[in-house]
Amino acid sequence: MSRKFIVGGNWKMNGDTDQIVEIVKNLTQLPLDPNVEIVIGIPSIYVAYVKSIVPNNVAVAAQNCWKAAKGAFTGEISAPMIKDVGAEWVILGHSERRIIFNEEDDLIAAKVAHALESGLKVIACVGETLEQKDSGITEEVVTKQIKALVPAIGNNWQNVVLAYEPVWAIGTGKTATPQQAQEVHAAIRSWLSTNVSSDVAENIRIQYGGSVTAANATELAACADIDGFLVGGASLKPEFVDIINSCN
Ligand code: PGA
């Protein structure tokens, strides 16, 4: 299989200088599987600092950005700024952005388009709520979220990773079972094959996110259509290294 496993850490709004030094020490001193691509998503105020201290085999992501390069957008950061401080990635469309900050598909698509045009790589997140899962509309919800991104991505699929993150699994300790996750990942790939191209479907990497731990990573990683993880809580702990190393 040609899809390189990719593990992302999403620190969310966590970390201070002391904790960052600790986390980066782990990532520097412990051996990391060279067959796994590693990206850590940092609160914007620390992106430049983290970039200046992480080892070369760990890429840095912002967790959000605005849809324009500069201007009168108090409080926002832009994709060119993220690039300017040496980070290569941005996480967009996370369910916390969608739900807490009311970001809708069209805004997320505009952000994705702008980030890609600015030369960043994008981890684009999709996922259903518990209510949607219980109504049996998981695939419908997730493919609608992806459909909104298709024109924004254009010919840039090689710079995009999708993260399937069921909202009910995020921060809850309730991980999707490998069967549940694999089923949705396979459905996403099949939708992409029909609606974008078989090439994109085959090559796009789809991460699973939602209460990933060192204890469940190996089993999830063994699923045919799971190509990595987006890890929240556990990415702040030494366990993150175990997750990276349990994938192959
Ligand atoms: P979690 O978060 O691993 O803490 O569930 C995952 C995410 O929100 O990306």
Side-chain angles (χ1 to χ4, degrees), residues 10 12 94 96 165 169-172 209-212 230-234:
N10 177 9
K12 311 193 179 185
H94 190 279
E96 286 150 20
E165 300 202 295
I170 293 178
T172 59
S211 300
V212 174
L230 188 52
V231 184

